[in-house]
Amino acid sequence: MPHFTVVPVKDQAQSSYDSLEGINWVDYRDTGQDPHDHQDTVSSDGHGNHKEDSPFLKGADAASKRNDFYDRNLALFEEELDIRPKVSSLLSRLVNYTNITQGAKEHEEEESTEASRSKTPKSPNMGTLMGVYLPCLQNIFGVILFLRLTWIVGMAGIMQSLLIVLMCCSCTMLTAISMSAIATNGVVPAGGAYFMISRSLGPEFGGAVGLCFYLGTTFASAMYILGAIEIFLKYLVPQAAIFHSTDPLGSDSAMLNNMRVYGSICLTLMAVVVFVGVKYVNKLASLFLTCVIISIVSIYAGAFKSMTHPPEFPICMLGNRTLVRDRFDVCAKTVIEGNITMPSQLWDRFCLPGNMSSAQCDDYFMQNNVTEIQGIPGLGSGIIRENMWGNYLQKGEILEKAGLQSVDAHGAMDNFGMYVSADIATSFTLLVGIFFPSATGIMAGSNRSGDLRDAQKSIPVGTILAITTTSLVYLSSVVLFGSCIEGVVLRDKFGDAVRKNLVVGTLSWPSPWVIVIGSFFSTVGAGLQSLTGAPRLLQAIAKDNIIPFLRVFGHGKSNGEPTWALLLTGLIAELGILIASLDMVAPILSMFFLMCYLFVNLACAVQTLLRTPNWRPRFKYYHWALSFLGMSMCLALMFISSWYYAIVAMGIAGMIYKYIEYQGAEKEWGDGIRGLSLSAARYALLRLEVGPPHTKNWRPQLLVLLKLDEDLHVKYPRLLTFASQLKAGKGLTIVGSVIQGNFLDSYGEMQAAEQAIKNMMEIERVKGFCQVVVASKVREGIVHLIQSCGLGGMKHNTVVMGWPYGWRQSEDPRAWKTFINTVRCTTAAHLALMVPKNVSFYPSNHERFTDGNIDVWWIVHDGGMLMLLPFLLKQHKVWRKCKMRIFTVAQMDDNSIQMKKDLATFLYQLRIEAEVEVVEMHDSDISAYTYERTLMMEQRSQMLRQMRLSSAERQREAQLVKDRHSLVRMGSLYSDEEEEVVEAPPEKVQMTWTREKCEAERRNRNNAPENFRELMSLKPDQSNVRRMHTAVKLNEVIVNRSHDARLVLLNMPGPPRNTDGDENYMEFLEVLTEGLERVLLVRGGGREVITIYS
C-alpha cells in the first residue's frame, strides 16, 4: 500500500475574490476606459479552441484551476474549463462583485489619513430617500423658485404659468421614465446620464451629449452664482455695490458690472473650495438642502397665514403707475407739520423747488392722485381673478394696475426713475426658457448609482417621487402666488415697490429674512455642487478617450482630483458670469439640458423598438411612445424657449458628433445605434435581393485581392490607393487576402493579417470591409473569396488584382498559374476584372495631376467598362484635371471616318467628354522580330518543362528539407503550392536500386544533349505567331500614341481555352504592355454597365 501525506495548503483564492481583477476588467470595458493592463487577446490551442481572455477567471489562481480540471462530474468539459468556467465559480465571483463607490467618495478617501486609505471600501448602503429622493430635491429646487417664479406668474398669469410648469415638469417626468428604464437595464456604474447615453447610443452620440450635459452643468454653476450675487447685492448688502449710476436709466448697466465683479470673485472662491477638498462640499450638502426645505415651508406658512393676517407691505401708486418705494418716505403729495401743509419728498421728486402754488410739476403727477394699496392682500382677498391672465411688457414699460383710475398725461423723462418698469421684454417663450432650469436636476440619483444599495429599485422610485413632489410644489406655488400677491408686485422683478424686499420673501413667515438667507445659502450650495460635478463629468469623457483633444483633462492630482478639468470649467463658467444676467444665462443651460434629455428619450425608444436581447429593464412602466413624446417635447421646448440658441446647441452637438466619428477613438459599447444600423442594413439587403441593379445604378463593387509578405505587411499598398481613388467613398469595397495553412493552426495569423490590412485601409482612406481566409492552397482560397464574399445584393462585381511581377525569372510555374486561374474564375463568375500593371508608379492620394491624359484603348466591346472607369477616376482630386482620350482600332475593311463620327455621337449620348481618335492597322507581313520573339517564348517554355521533368530527385530532396524546416508558411497570392500536398517521407530514405532503374538513369543522362539539340531545332506554332504579331503591332501603336499618358486603359485578352498555352499567354500580355508606365488591363463581366438612356 502506498503511503500518502496530506499537506494543508493555504487557499489563495480569497485574494483573487478581494482583488476581483476579472470584474475590474469588465468594468474597464463597460466604462470605455482603455487600461494597458487588460488587453483583448485571442489565441488558439491548435484544436479550434480560441482562448479569449475570460473576464471572470482572469484573477483565479492555478490551484483553483487544477481543482476544476479534476472535477469528476465534469470530465467531459475539463479541457475547456479555463475558458468556460463552472457555473458555481462564475456565480461566486458575481455575488462577490461590489459596485464600489465612485466619484467624490474616492477623493474623500484619498484626502483622508493613511489609515482610512488602507481600509477596504464599504459596500454601498444608501437607500431611496437619502440616495436619490433628497439629492434630486436639492438639485431641482433652485434659484428660479425664489428669484423668478413670482415674476413669471405676474407676467404670464396663473393659467399660462401653470401651462409652463406643466410642460417643463411633463418633459422631465417622461425623461425620468426613460431614464429609469435605462438605469434598471443592468448594473449602472457611477457616471449618470453620460454613461447611460453613450452606452445606449454609441460613442458619437455619447460624446456629443456628454459635452452638452457638461456645458449645461457648467453654465448652471454660473447661473447659481449670479443668483447668489443678485440676492447678496439686492437684498442682503446693497451697500456693497461698487458701481453706482447717476442716471436712473443707466442703473441696469451699473448693476451688471457689479454682478460681473462679485460673480468672478465668488467663482474664484468656489473653485478654490472645490480644489482644496470635495469632502467639505459633500458634508455641507445636507445643510443647503435644509435651507431649501425651510424656505419652502415658510412660503406655505406665510400664504396660509395671509388668509387671516396678511403682512403689511403697502404699495404707493401714482394714478395707476407703481412707484419705487424707497425713494421717498410718505406716500402722499403733501404732509402736515404743525398745522402747516408742506410738500412731501414725493412732491420734491416730481416738482422743481418753489412754493406749492407756483411750483413747476410733472403733468402726470399733477393730474393723478397718489394712493396706497396692499401689496399682499392675502389668500382670501379674491386677487386671483386679476392675476388669472397674462400681462406681458416691453422693455422700459411702466408697471400699471388696471383697476385704478388714471388720467393719461405726458410725464417728464427725468422722472422715469421714480416708476417701477420692466427691465426686459417678456413673452411666453422667454419665460419657458427661464423657468426650465428649475425643472432640471433629475439626474442626481443616477449620478449616485454607485452609492446605492439597490440602484435598480431606488433610481426609478426616488426620481419619479422627487419630480412629483417638485411639480406639486411648483404648481401650488403658482396658485398661491397668484392668490395672495398683488399683480404689480408679482411683475416687480426686484421688489422695488416693496422697499427692495425679495417679493417671495414678503409672503413668507415669520420674516422675509428666512427666505433671503435660506435662498442665498441654497443657491451657493447648488453652485458648489455644479462646480464639483462638471469637472468630473469632463474627466469621465476624457478618460473614455473618444475625443482626442480632451485627453489632457483626464489627468489631475495624485488622488484623481480633476485639476485641469476644474480649470476649464472655471473658464467656461466665467463666460456665463460675464453675461451677468440671470435671464440670459438660464435659456443657454436650458438648451444643453434639453438636448441631454432628448437623447435619453431617444436611447430608450431605440432600444425598445429594436428589441435587442440585452434590453430587459426591471422598470416595466415604460413605452416607446412615451419616450418619443418626451423627445418631441424636449425638441419643442428648445425651439419655443429660444430658436437661435436651439440651433447653436444642435450645431455644437452635431460638430462634436462628426468630430468623434472621423477623428475619435473606435469604441464598441453594444449601443442601440449599432443595432439600428443592423436593422436598417438587413432591411436594405432584403430589398436588394429583388434583382440585379439596373445599368444606370451599376458601379464597380470591388473585391481587392492583396498580397502579404512574410511579416504580414501589405506588399503593394498602391492597390488600395487606386481602389480609393476609383471609389471615392461610394459603393462596396472588400479587401481580401489568403493565408496558406490549416485554419486551426493559423487563426492567430489570420487575425493579425486582418488587422494589418485594416490599418493599411485606414491609411489609404479606403472605406470597406476586410476578409482574410485560410486555405490549404492559395488558389483555392482565392476561389473561395470570389465565390463567397459579400452578402445578398451587396456582393462584388469587379475583382482587382496585382500583376505577378518576376514570373519570367522564376522557374516555379506557380507564380503565374494562380494569376491565370484567377482570371478564368472571374470570367466564369461573370465578374469584371482590373489588373493595374506597374502599380508602384500609380499616384498616391496626396499627388495632383495638373495636366495629362487618360488614354482608353477600346479594342473590343465588353460592356462599356473602359468608358465608365476614367469617368469615375476623374471624380477624384488626383485625376480631376486629366483629359480623356479614346482610341479605337480600324481594320482594312472598316470606314475609319464613319467610325470616328459614330464614336463621337456615342460619347455625346453617354454625356462623357473625351477626344476621339481612330487608329488604322493595315495588314502587314509578320516581321522577323515577331517570329524570333515567338520562338524564344516557346524555347523557354520547352526548356523549363524539361528542366522540371529531369530534376525529380532534386525536387524530392528539396521537399524533404522543406518539410523538416517549415512551420506555418505564409502563402502569397501568386506563389502557392500548385501540386497536391505530399506526405512527408521519413527522415531516412532508403532506395533499392535495380538493374532496370540503373539503365533508365543512364539513358536519361545520355539523352540530355539530344534534348538540347531538339530544343534548338524547334519551330514555333503558327497560332502563337499570329497572337504575338497582334501583341507586337498593338503595343507599337499604343506606345506611339500614349507613351506620355498618365494612365492607359486597355482591353485584357482572355486566357487560352487550352491550358497548355498559359505561359505563352503571360508573354503576350507582357509584350502588349511593354514600354508603358501605368497600364490598367480591364475585362468586362459580360453585361452592359453604361447606358445612353436617362
Side-chain angles (χ1 to χ4, degrees):
M1 286 285 293
H3 296 279
F4 296 97
T5 304
V6 179
V7 179
V9 180
K10 184 179 179 182
D11 186 13
Q12 297 178 353
Q14 186 62 38
S15 63
S16 68
Y17 285 98
D18 292 337
S19 65
L20 284 171
E21 294 179 9
I23 296 296
N24 288 337
W25 186 82
V26 177
D27 215 14
Y28 284 127
R29 286 291 297 268
D30 286 346
T31 55
Q33 297 177 14
D34 189 17
H36 299 293
D37 301 328
H38 305 85
Q39 295 295 332
D40 211 358
T41 59
V42 180
S43 59
S44 175
D45 60 1
H47 301 286
N49 299 324
H50 305 125
K51 297 179 181 178
E52 302 183 7
D53 288 343
S54 172
F56 304 112
L57 288 177
K58 194 161 179 85
D61 60 342
S64 63
K65 287 185 181 179
R66 280 198 300 272
N67 292 335
D68 289 346
F69 286 170
Y70 292 104
D71 196 312
R72 293 179 181 177
N73 296 325
L74 296 177
L76 281 175
F77 305 95
E78 63 183 12
E79 292 186 356
E80 294 184 332
L81 281 176
D82 58 336
I83 58 172
R84 292 175 174 84
K86 288 192 303 180
V87 175
S88 58
S89 61
L90 171 67
L91 291 178
S92 66
R93 284 157 177 77
L94 288 178
V95 167
N96 286 327
Y97 170 66
T98 57
N99 195 354
I100 296 171
T101 303
Q102 299 185 30
K105 203 90 172 178
E106 297 164 340
H107 306 297
E108 289 184 30
E109 291 174 2
E110 285 292 341
E111 294 183 355
S112 305
T113 61
E114 291 293 329
S116 65
R117 212 176 279 164
S118 62
K119 291 178 183 176
T120 56
K122 295 179 181 179
S123 61
N125 55 6
M126 278 191 175
T128 303
L129 180 68
M130 295 300 297
V132 181
Y133 181 71
L134 292 180
C136 282
L137 281 186
Q138 183 185 357
N139 279 268
I140 295 173
F141 285 136
V143 64
I144 302 295
L145 171 63
F146 302 115
L147 292 184
R148 292 292 182 270
L149 189 56
T150 54
W151 175 71
I152 290 172
V153 174
M155 289 295 179
I158 294 175
M159 297 304 295
Q160 291 189 32
S161 298
L162 289 174
L163 179 61
I164 291 172
V165 173
L166 199 62
M167 287 170 57
C168 296
C169 293
S170 300
C171 177
T172 54
M173 179 62 81
L174 292 170
T175 305
I177 292 172
S178 299
M179 184 193 72
S180 299
I182 299 173
T184 58
N185 186 48
V187 178
V188 179
Y194 165 67
F195 181 90
M196 289 189 293
I197 295 171
S198 61
R199 270 55 175 183
S200 297
L201 292 179
E204 295 88 0
F205 279 111
V209 180
L211 279 182
C212 284
F213 192 46
Y214 163 74
L215 291 173
T217 309
T218 304
F219 275 103
S221 66
M223 184 190 75
Y224 288 128
I225 291 171
L226 288 174
I229 298 302
E230 183 177 312
I231 295 171
F232 178 76
L233 289 177
K234 285 281 186 180
Y235 311 113
L236 278 176
V237 191
Q239 302 82 11
I242 300 173
F243 301 96
H244 301 277
S245 176
T246 55
D247 180 13
L249 298 177
S251 59
D252 288 345
S253 60
M255 182 63 188
L256 293 179
N257 288 330
N258 287 319
M259 299 276 280
R260 292 184 180 105
V261 173
Y262 280 100
S264 301
I265 295 171
C266 184
L267 175 64
T268 305
L269 291 175
M270 285 186 176
V272 170
V273 170
V274 173
F275 178 78
V276 169
V278 181
K279 59 182 179 181
Y280 304 114
V281 178
N282 293 329
K283 288 178 179 177
L284 290 172
S286 56
L287 172 64
F288 298 141
L289 178 60
T290 306
C291 292
V292 173
I293 295 174
I294 291 175
S295 301
I296 292 173
V297 170
S298 72
I299 293 173
Y300 280 98
F304 289 112
K305 182 178 178 292
S306 69
M307 283 199 302
T308 55
H309 297 87
E312 288 293 329
F313 282 99
I315 304 170
C316 191
M317 308 292 294
L318 177 60
N320 64 352
R321 296 181 180 180
T322 311
L323 296 174
V324 178
R325 192 64 181 83
D326 65 333
R327 298 209 170 190
F328 52 91
D329 51 0
V330 180
C331 183
K333 291 185 178 182
T334 59
V335 293
I336 298 175
E337 295 181 1
N339 296 328
I340 301 174
T341 303
M342 300 287 293
S344 66
Q345 289 185 3
L346 185 61
W347 180 285
D348 293 338
R349 293 283 183 180
F350 282 94
C351 300
L352 294 176
N355 56 41
M356 293 180 62
S357 60
S358 62
Q360 296 181 1
C361 293
D362 184 271
D363 289 344
Y364 188 86
F365 177 75
M366 293 301 295
Q367 296 182 31
N368 288 278
N369 295 323
V370 175
T371 56
E372 197 169 53
I373 62 173
Q374 188 61 25
I376 313 292
L379 198 58
S381 63
I383 195 70
I384 187 172
R385 288 189 294 273
E386 296 181 16
N387 295 332
M388 192 63 69
W389 306 107
N391 188 7
Y392 297 108
L393 301 176
Q394 296 298 316
K395 183 177 181 180
E397 193 172 342
I398 297 171
L399 271 62
E400 298 177 348
K401 181 173 171 58
L404 292 179
Q405 290 185 352
S406 173
V407 178
D408 192 13
H410 182 70
M413 283 299 296
D414 294 340
N415 299 320
F416 182 79
M418 290 296 297
Y419 302 111
V420 181
S421 60
D423 64 329
I424 60 171
T426 53
S427 62
F428 178 80
T429 58
L430 176 76
L431 298 183
V432 170
I434 291 175
F435 176 77
F436 186 79
S438 63
T440 60
I442 63 173
M443 301 290 183
S446 62
N447 290 343
R448 292 168 177 255
S449 58
D451 303 331
L452 300 175
R453 188 186 306 115
D454 186 1
Q456 296 189 359
K457 176 185 174 184
S458 297
I459 289 176
V461 175
T463 305
I464 292 174
L465 277 179
I467 294 174
T468 305
T469 305
T470 53
S471 301
L472 291 175
V473 169
Y474 286 141
L475 292 170
S476 59
S477 297
V478 167
V479 176
L480 287 177
F481 293 157
S483 305
C484 298
I485 306 176
E486 174 63 48
V488 289
V489 180
L490 287 173
R491 290 188 288 278
D492 182 7
K493 184 188 290 185
F494 301 113
D496 291 330
V498 286
R499 296 185 181 276
K500 299 290 185 182
N501 277 299
L502 183 61
V503 174
V504 70
T506 60
L507 183 62
S508 65
W509 179 87
S511 167
W513 287 101
V514 175
I515 293 284
V516 172
I517 296 174
S519 61
F520 177 75
F521 279 112
S522 67
T523 307
V524 169
L528 278 172
Q529 292 283 355
S530 298
L531 210 57
T532 304
R536 278 156 185 76
L537 180 60
L538 180 63
Q539 188 180 37
I541 299 171
K543 282 187 174 179
D544 266 355
N545 202 23
I546 56 174
I547 306 176
F549 69 83
L550 289 182
R551 284 177 190 151
V552 65
F553 299 109
H555 308 295
K557 292 196 294 188
S558 58
N559 62 353
E561 192 74 27
T563 310
W564 293 107
L566 178 62
L567 181 62
L568 180 65
T569 303
L571 292 175
I572 297 175
E574 179 63 22
L575 296 178
I577 298 292
L578 293 177
I579 295 175
S581 172
L582 187 69
D583 306 313
M584 295 289 287
V585 174
I588 296 176
L589 65 102
S590 294
M591 290 306 117
F592 291 123
F593 278 121
L594 281 167
M595 181 84 67
C596 177
Y597 296 165
L598 184 149
F599 282 103
V600 169
N601 286 295
L602 176 64
C604 181
V606 166
Q607 297 275 30
T608 306
L609 289 175
L610 287 178
R611 295 174 183 165
T612 51
N614 192 49
W615 180 247
R616 302 183 299 274
R618 290 189 181 277
F619 181 77
K620 301 298 181 184
Y621 306 102
Y622 70 94
H623 193 269
W624 64 265
L626 291 177
S627 299
F628 269 116
L629 180 61
M631 188 174 68
S632 304
M633 287 190 70
C634 290
L635 194 62
L637 284 174
M638 286 176 68
F639 282 93
I640 285 173
S641 57
S642 178
W643 63 268
Y644 45 89
Y645 279 160
I647 292 174
V648 171
M650 294 173 76
I652 291 173
M655 287 189 291
I656 297 169
Y657 177 93
K658 298 305 289 185
Y659 177 81
I660 297 173
E661 186 180 27
Y662 286 111
Q663 299 292 335
E666 292 287 336
K667 296 286 180 185
E668 177 52 61
W669 287 328
D671 50 85
I673 293 297
R674 299 294 191 274
L676 188 63
S677 301
L678 282 173
S679 297
R682 172 184 169 274
Y683 175 77
L685 284 171
L686 290 174
R687 290 284 304 272
L688 283 175
E689 283 286 359
V690 175
H694 191 271
T695 304
K696 290 187 291 185
N697 295 327
W698 195 95
R699 65 166 60 245
Q701 315 287 7
L702 302 183
L703 169 61
V704 183
L705 298 176
L706 282 187
K707 185 175 182 178
L708 301 178
D709 59 17
E710 292 79 4
D711 298 326
L712 301 180
H713 295 146
V714 178
K715 199 165 186 181
Y716 301 113
R718 286 297 166 87
L719 272 177
L720 291 175
T721 311
F722 172 72
S724 70
Q725 293 169 4
L726 182 65
K727 300 295 290 180
K730 303 293 191 300
L732 175 71
T733 302
I734 303 173
V735 181
S737 187
V738 179
I739 293 177
Q740 186 176 345
N742 184 359
F743 178 75
L744 298 179
D745 300 328
S746 305
Y747 182 74
E749 286 83 353
M750 185 189 78
Q751 284 201 318
E754 274 192 7
Q755 191 57 48
I757 292 174
K758 285 178 181 177
N759 293 340
M760 187 55 67
M761 288 171 68
E762 187 175 347
I763 293 172
E764 298 295 339
R765 297 182 181 178
V766 176
K767 294 185 181 298
F769 308 97
C770 175
Q771 182 76 51
V772 178
V773 299
V774 179
S776 57
K777 296 181 183 178
V778 174
R779 176 189 295 186
E780 292 177 359
I782 293 175
V783 174
H784 293 159
L785 284 174
I786 291 174
Q787 290 183 84
S788 61
C789 275
L791 181 65
M794 284 293 284
K795 293 184 72 71
H796 57 277
N797 55 29
T798 305
V799 177
V800 179
M801 61 187 300
W803 179 260
Y805 304 102
W807 67 272
R808 280 175 172 165
Q809 289 73 28
S810 173
E811 297 180 3
D812 193 350
R814 295 173 305 211
W816 45 267
K817 282 195 174 182
T818 301
F819 175 81
I820 297 177
N821 184 69
T822 306
V823 176
R824 287 197 171 99
C825 288
T826 55
T827 304
H830 300 289
L831 301 176
L833 175 67
M834 290 187 286
V835 181
K837 198 164 180 285
N838 302 328
V839 73
S840 300
F841 295 109
Y842 277 55
S844 68
N845 285 324
H846 304 293
E847 296 181 43
R848 302 285 188 280
F849 287 143
T850 55
D851 56 2
N853 301 310
I854 299 177
D855 287 356
V856 177
W857 284 85
W858 190 18
I859 300 168
V860 294
H861 180 64
D862 54 358
M865 277 280 288
L866 286 172
M867 308 294 172
L868 186 60
L869 291 176
F871 172 77
L872 295 176
L873 279 175
K874 280 170 62 65
Q875 308 302 309
H876 197 272
K877 55 190 176 185
V878 172
W879 305 91
R880 188 165 294 149
K881 294 187 178 180
C882 292
K883 295 180 180 178
M884 182 174 165
R885 297 191 301 184
I886 296 181
F887 298 89
T888 188
V889 176
Q891 303 300 324
M892 281 294 293
D893 53 350
D894 293 329
N895 185 343
S896 58
I897 298 175
Q898 188 61 39
M899 276 182 68
K900 186 172 183 179
K901 289 181 181 180
D902 294 344
L903 181 55
T905 305
F906 179 57
L907 289 177
Y908 177 78
Q909 291 172 336
L910 288 176
R911 290 91 62 202
I912 292 178
E913 295 181 3
E915 295 180 20
V916 177
E917 191 165 343
V918 177
V919 178
E920 295 181 352
M921 290 187 65
H922 303 290
D923 287 339
S924 59
D925 295 333
I926 297 173
S927 62
Y929 171 75
T930 303
Y931 193 87
E932 183 181 354
R933 189 75 183 260
T934 310
L935 182 61
M936 287 174 59
M937 174 185 72
E938 295 193 352
Q939 285 178 345
R940 178 181 179 277
S941 300
Q942 184 70 16
M943 182 173 65
L944 288 174
R945 194 177 297 115
Q946 289 180 1
M947 288 173 64
R948 285 195 293 271
L949 291 174
S950 63
S951 59
E953 289 300 318
R954 186 176 60 187
Q955 286 179 354
R956 191 179 299 131
E957 290 180 11
Q959 183 66 32
L960 273 173
V961 174
K962 179 180 174 184
D963 288 340
R964 285 175 189 164
H965 297 288
S966 65
L967 296 172
V968 178
R969 187 176 70 84
M970 275 295 305
S972 64
L973 288 181
Y974 311 125
S975 59
D976 66 323
E977 285 292 334
E978 177 65 26
E979 272 64 43
E980 293 295 322
V981 177
V982 182
E983 291 292 332
E987 292 191 5
K988 293 184 178 180
V989 181
Q990 296 180 352
M991 300 184 65
T992 304
W993 287 90
T994 61
R995 182 181 297 277
E996 290 78 7
K997 285 186 179 180
C998 190
E999 294 276 341
E1001 185 66 22
R1002 190 177 291 112
R1003 280 198 301 273
N1004 284 339
R1005 290 176 181 172
N1006 294 334
N1007 287 341
E1010 296 177 9
N1011 292 338
F1012 181 74
R1013 285 193 292 273
E1014 180 183 339
L1015 193 65
M1016 296 306 296
S1017 61
L1018 187 69
K1019 291 187 177 181
D1021 183 70
Q1022 287 303 310
S1023 63
N1024 286 339
V1025 173
R1026 285 188 289 104
R1027 288 190 177 91
M1028 182 64 76
H1029 176 69
T1030 303
V1032 169
K1033 292 291 291 181
L1034 273 176
N1035 175 257
E1036 184 180 325
V1037 173
I1038 293 171
V1039 171
N1040 185 35
R1041 302 295 181 95
S1042 302
H1043 62 277
D1044 57 349
R1046 299 294 188 185
L1047 180 65
V1048 175
L1049 283 82
L1050 181 64
N1051 284 115
M1052 181 178 181
R1057 291 187 176 88
N1058 184 5
T1059 57
D1060 293 338
D1062 283 354
E1063 191 172 7
N1064 300 335
Y1065 171 72
M1066 294 298 298
E1067 188 69 32
F1068 295 146
L1069 292 182
E1070 285 282 10
V1071 172
L1072 186 61
T1073 57
E1074 272 183 352
L1076 298 173
E1077 185 179 13
R1078 301 183 194 92
V1079 185
L1080 181 62
L1081 297 171
V1082 181
R1083 277 181 67 76
R1087 60 163 294 174
E1088 292 293 330
V1089 300
I1090 196 166
T1091 179
I1092 63 174
Y1093 300 106
S1094 60

